[in-house]
Amino acid sequence: MSGSASMPKIALDHLVVACRSLDAGRAWCEATFGVAPQPGGRHALMGTHNLLLSLSSERYPKAYLELIAVDPE
């Protein structure tokens, strides 16, 4: 790359992991990363609910991991 070429602008919002259940997703997150995700919310139109884990950094201040599963309710 030449000095005048610019890198494409990349923005990370969130990464999504589909889970059999939020309990299974929570267990996986704790075993994999050593931290517990926080309650997210329900998506009534989609029939899902989620847990969230912040991945924020200086470069990506709003980034997070979303664990999503079918809402049994």
Side-chain angles (χ1 to χ4, degrees):
M1 276 188 155
S2 71
S4 62
S6 63
M7 294 294 291
K9 191 166 194 161
I10 296 174
L12 177 63
D13 179 31
H14 65 288
L15 303 171
V16 179
V17 175
C19 307
R20 285 185 302 258
S21 70
L22 288 189
D23 287 338
R26 180 181 290 109
W28 172 81
C29 187
E30 290 175 355
T32 303
F33 302 114
V35 293
Q38 300 304 304
R42 288 192 152 79
H43 314 111
L45 291 175
M46 302 298 288
T48 58
H49 58 168
N50 64 4
L51 296 170
L52 305 172
L53 179 64
S54 175
L55 301 175
S56 67
S57 67
E58 187 174 323
R59 186 169 181 186
Y60 302 109
K62 296 180 181 181
Y64 61 95
L65 174 70
E66 178 179 5
L67 304 170
I68 192 167
V70 172
D71 188 346
E73 294 180 21

